[in-house]
Amino acid sequence: MDLIGIYQQDNPLSPIARIKMNMSTTTELSPEVLAKYQPVIGLEVHVQLLTETKAFCNCVNRYGGEPNTHVCPTCLGLPGALPVLNRHAVELAVLASKAIHCEIRETSIFSRKNYFYPDSPKGYQISQFDRPIAENGWIEIPAAGAVPDATGATKRIGITRLHLEEDAGKSLHDGFADSVSRTYIDLNRCGTPLVEIVSEPDLSTPDEAFEYLTRLKEILLYTGVSDCNMEEGSLRCDANVSMMLKGAVKFGTKAEVKNVNSFRYIRAALEYEIERQIEVLEGGGRVVQESRLWNNAEGRTYSMRSKEQAHDYRYFPEPDLPPLVVGEAWQREILTALPELPETRRKRMIEEYEIGQQDAMTLTSTRGFADRFETAAKEAKSPKRVVSLITSELTGRLKAANLELEQSPVTLKGIVQAADLAESGDLSSKMLKQLLDTCFAESKDFAEVYERDKPKQISDAGAIEAMIDEVIAANPKQVAQYRGGKKTVAAFFVGNAMRLSKGQANPVLLNELVTRKLDALGSAE
Ligand SMILES: [Zn+2]
C-alpha cells in the first residue's frame, strides 16, 4: 500500500521513486549502516521584522486583515511605482546581525531575484545577493550530547550571511465552503520586511538543528527584531541536508526541506530525510537536488520540484534603489539598542547568583522575565534566596499545574516577600511551602495568602525555652555528645523543639536559645 502511494507522489521518473519501489520501507536501517554516514545540515531562516510599515512603502506591516487591504501601488508592483527603503528595517537588520556576531558591510546592494509566481505580482523579489548587509557570524549551541549542566561545553555554528529582502503574498488554496478547487490571492504580506539568515553547513544532527533554531529564536526575541510567531509565519525555516560517508571531504548532493512551521517538525523532517537519503545511497542510487515538502500527518517528505540554481533567478542590481550605506556612526547609534544577549546573561547570572546552567536557563527564558527577576532580586534581602525559591519551589508547582512562568499565581513581588520572610527567620521553610501550596490551590498571590494565613509564630522566649528544656531532658545521650564537643548536635535539639512547637517557633530565636542553653550546661571536662 505504502509503495503505491510513494510511487504516485514522487516523480515516477526520479531515481528515488525507482529505488523506493524496490525497497521495503518497513525495514529499519541498522545502526551499522547509519554509523557509516555523516549528515551535513544547513538552515535558512526567514524572519519578519517588527516594523510599523512595510520594507519599501508606507503600508502597515501587520498580520491578517481583510485580504488585499494593506496594499498600495508600490507593494502591488504597479508600473511607475518606486520603492523607498524603510530605515527602521535596516536598523533591525543591523541589530540582528550584531547579535549573531556578523560583520556589517558598510555598503550593501539590493538585487532583483526574478521568478514568476502568482503571490509576487512584480515578477521579482527585492533581495540582496552578492553584497548582503552582513556576513561571517556565529552562534553557540550546547555541544552534541553534552548535558548543559555537566560542562557547559558548546559548539559554534557559523552564519554565512544575513540579508534584507521583502516577503511575497499568500496563495489560498483551500478551506472554501464549496469543494470546487480554486486559488485566491492575498497580497497583504507583499513587501513585508524580512531578514534571511543562512547558516554554514555546520550542523551534524537533527538535535543540533533544533538547538540552533531555539537559540536563534531566543536571540531574535531578546533583540526585539521580530515576534518570531511561527503560526503567523514570522519565522520560517528551510533545511538543507545531505549525507556523506564519514571521513569523506566532499559533501553529498543536498535536498532542501521547505517551509516547516515548527522546530519539532524540522527535527522530524531531518530525521526522515537522513534515513531516506541513506536508503537511496545504500540502494546504489543517487540523491537528487530538489526541494521537498514535509507532510506532518504522514511523517515524511515529498518531492516538490527540482531545486533552482542561483543563475535561474537572473539576479541583477535593483535599479530603483541606491546602494545601502550604513556608516560607522549609524552602526554605533543602532547598537545602543543591543541588550545583553541570553548566553552572556546566563554566564553572568551563573556567577552572580551562584546557580547552575539549568536554573539560569529557567530565569532567562524570556527577556521580560529575566528583567523582572533581576529588578526584583535587587530589592530582596538575599537575591540568592529569591533564585532558589523560584527554581526549587515555584517551577515545580508551575509544572504540576501545567503553567508557564509568566502565568504563575505568585508574582515575583510575592516571591521576594516570601524570600525576605524566610531570610529574616519569620517564616520556616515548612510554613513557606504550605503558604505557596495555598497560593496555587486558590490561584492567589503570596501577599494576600500570607496576610490571611500568616502563622502565629511563637516569639515568646519563655515558651520556647520550656520546649527546649523538655527536649534536653528527654535526650541525655545527645546532651552528652554536645558537652563532649560535638557542636553539630545542636541541630538535633532545634529540630525536635521545632516539632514540639508544631513548626511555629521563631527559628532565629530558637537557634539562639538552643545554643545558649546547651552551652550553659558546661563542657564535659
Ligand atoms: Zn504598499
Side-chain angles (χ1 to χ4, degrees):
M1 183 197 88
D2 273 11
L3 290 181
I4 293 163
I6 287 161
Y7 186 73
Q8 286 173 337
Q9 290 287 345
D10 269 313
N11 173 359
L13 298 174
S14 81
I16 301 160
R18 284 207 302 274
I19 288 152
K20 284 266 185 187
M21 278 291 284
N22 299 326
M23 287 185 72
S24 162
T25 52
T26 50
T27 10
E28 297 258 314
L29 291 165
S30 70
E32 291 74 36
V33 170
L34 284 171
K36 278 163 60 182
Y37 291 92
Q38 174 61 62
V40 177
I41 302 165
L43 298 175
E44 293 170 11
V45 176
H46 287 89
V47 185
Q48 279 183 9
L49 299 174
L50 263 183
T51 55
E52 287 292 314
T53 54
K54 292 186 181 180
F56 302 111
C57 63
N58 264 330
C59 291
V60 66
N61 172 21
R62 194 183 305 138
Y63 177 78
E66 275 292 298
N68 304 308
T69 53
H70 307 159
V71 289
C72 73
T74 303
C75 54
L76 287 174
L78 298 185
L82 288 173
V84 177
L85 180 58
N86 181 336
R87 185 181 173 90
H88 193 210
V90 177
E91 290 168 345
L92 294 181
V94 169
L95 211 49
S97 303
K98 283 291 185 183
I100 54 176
H101 311 99
C102 281
E103 297 156 14
I104 304 292
R105 184 192 297 272
E106 242 192 60
T107 305
S108 64
I109 301 286
F110 284 99
S111 293
R112 285 191 184 180
K113 181 180 183 180
N114 297 280
Y115 65 93
F116 176 76
Y117 204 71
D119 61 15
S120 174
K122 287 203 291 263
Y124 60 85
Q125 176 191 27
I126 301 178
S127 182
Q128 295 189 308
F129 180 51
D130 51 349
R131 276 177 279 173
I133 189 164
E135 287 170 302
N136 302 325
W138 51 267
I139 60 177
E140 277 182 340
I141 62 169
V147 184
D149 251 341
T151 57
T154 53
K155 176 174 173 181
R156 192 171 278 200
I157 307 300
I159 307 243
T160 316
R161 57 188 276 146
L162 177 151
H163 67 251
L164 265 164
E165 61 184 28
E166 59 177 340
D167 210 343
K170 264 191 267 190
S171 300
L172 311 168
H173 298 290
D174 43 35
F176 305 113
D178 52 26
S179 56
V180 181
S181 174
R182 62 181 76 162
T183 296
Y184 288 93
I185 197 87
D186 176 6
L187 299 175
N188 280 352
R189 200 176 67 181
C190 248
T192 293
L194 298 177
V195 288
E196 179 174 341
I197 300 167
V198 182
S199 86
E200 290 287 305
D202 290 345
L203 298 153
S204 321
T205 65
D207 281 340
E208 285 187 5
F210 182 88
E211 281 296 333
Y212 169 86
L213 291 168
T214 307
R215 296 281 85 81
L216 179 61
K217 180 180 168 189
E218 189 181 55
I219 291 169
L220 296 169
L221 283 173
Y222 258 67
T223 44
V225 301
S226 174
D227 63 15
C228 296
N229 185 331
M230 293 190 80
E231 276 108 66
E232 294 180 358
S234 304
L235 191 155
R236 308 192 289 273
C237 179
D238 302 334
N240 289 303
V241 54
S242 66
M243 305 301 301
M244 60 184 198
L245 286 168
K246 277 191 182 146
V249 283
K250 196 168 172 284
F251 289 169
T253 306
K254 66 188 177 187
E256 184 183 36
V257 185
K258 302 280 290 180
N259 279 331
V260 190
N261 67 356
S262 99
F263 294 170
R264 278 189 303 125
Y265 294 167
I266 288 269
R267 181 160 58 187
L270 286 169
E271 277 163 5
Y272 173 85
E273 200 46 35
I274 286 167
E275 295 212 357
R276 183 189 71 85
Q277 292 188 14
I278 292 177
E279 270 184 33
V280 169
L281 296 168
E282 286 289 301
R286 58 182 187 84
V287 174
V288 177
Q289 179 159 340
E290 61 182 349
S291 296
R292 297 181 67 89
L293 274 184
W294 170 247
N295 182 319
N296 194 52
E298 296 175 37
R300 55 161 299 178
T301 62
Y302 283 107
S303 178
M304 188 165 77
R305 55 164 193 258
S306 66
K307 171 93 175 117
E308 295 88 349
Q309 305 280 333
H311 61 250
D312 294 332
Y313 290 120
R314 294 173 295 115
Y315 280 99
F316 62 85
E318 166 62 63
D320 291 340
L321 286 167
L324 168 60
V325 180
V326 186
E328 257 185 57
W330 191 17
Q331 286 184 40
R332 268 200 308 277
E333 189 190 316
I334 295 168
L335 286 186
T336 56
L338 190 70
E340 185 180 29
L341 294 169
E343 201 51 49
T344 319
R345 188 165 201 170
R346 276 194 280 278
K347 281 179 186 149
R348 175 178 59 74
M349 283 169 70
I350 286 170
E351 293 259 310
E352 203 169 318
Y353 304 105
E354 295 170 46
I355 51 176
Q357 178 78 20
Q358 207 54 53
D359 290 346
M361 294 292 278
T362 306
L363 294 172
T364 55
S365 60
T366 67
R367 182 180 163 194
F369 184 81
D371 285 349
R372 280 183 286 122
F373 159 73
E374 293 216 83
T375 312
K378 279 193 182 74
E379 285 163 18
K381 289 196 174 90
S382 160
K384 263 175 72 181
R385 195 182 278 273
V386 175
V387 176
S388 92
L389 268 189
I390 291 173
T391 54
S392 66
E393 300 296 339
L394 195 64
T395 49
R397 284 176 176 78
L398 286 170
K399 210 171 165 195
N402 205 11
L403 294 174
E404 295 295 320
L405 211 47
E406 311 278 348
Q407 303 166 305
S408 171
V410 181
T411 59
L412 272 172
K413 210 172 156 207
I415 288 291
V416 169
Q417 185 189 7
D420 283 353
L421 287 165
E423 189 68 22
S424 64
D426 290 324
L427 207 53
S428 71
S429 68
K430 192 179 161 195
M431 285 190 281
L432 178 62
K433 282 174 203 282
Q434 281 170 0
L435 288 169
L436 287 175
D437 283 340
T438 311
C439 290
F440 272 78
E442 300 179 9
S443 209
K444 286 182 174 137
D445 201 358
F446 185 81
E448 190 182 344
V449 172
Y450 178 73
E451 269 316 304
R452 190 191 64 196
D453 297 354
K454 184 159 46 183
K456 283 164 255 344
Q457 199 170 63
I458 304 170
S459 293
D460 170 13
I464 296 176
E465 277 181 90
M467 287 184 269
I468 298 171
D469 286 340
E470 201 181 320
V471 178
I472 287 177
N475 296 285
K477 200 174 118 203
Q478 282 77 6
V479 172
Q481 283 173 350
Y482 187 90
R483 296 179 67 204
K486 199 177 169 193
K487 301 290 180 197
T488 50
V489 179
F492 167 84
F493 292 95
V494 170
N496 277 283
M498 185 59 102
R499 253 191 296 284
L500 265 186
S501 79
K502 299 195 169 60
Q504 292 183 340
N506 177 327
V508 174
L509 191 57
L510 176 63
N511 262 300
E512 204 181 295
L513 291 173
V514 162
T515 313
R516 197 188 301 163
K517 280 211 166 268
L518 288 171
D519 287 343
L521 297 171
S523 84
E525 260 112 323

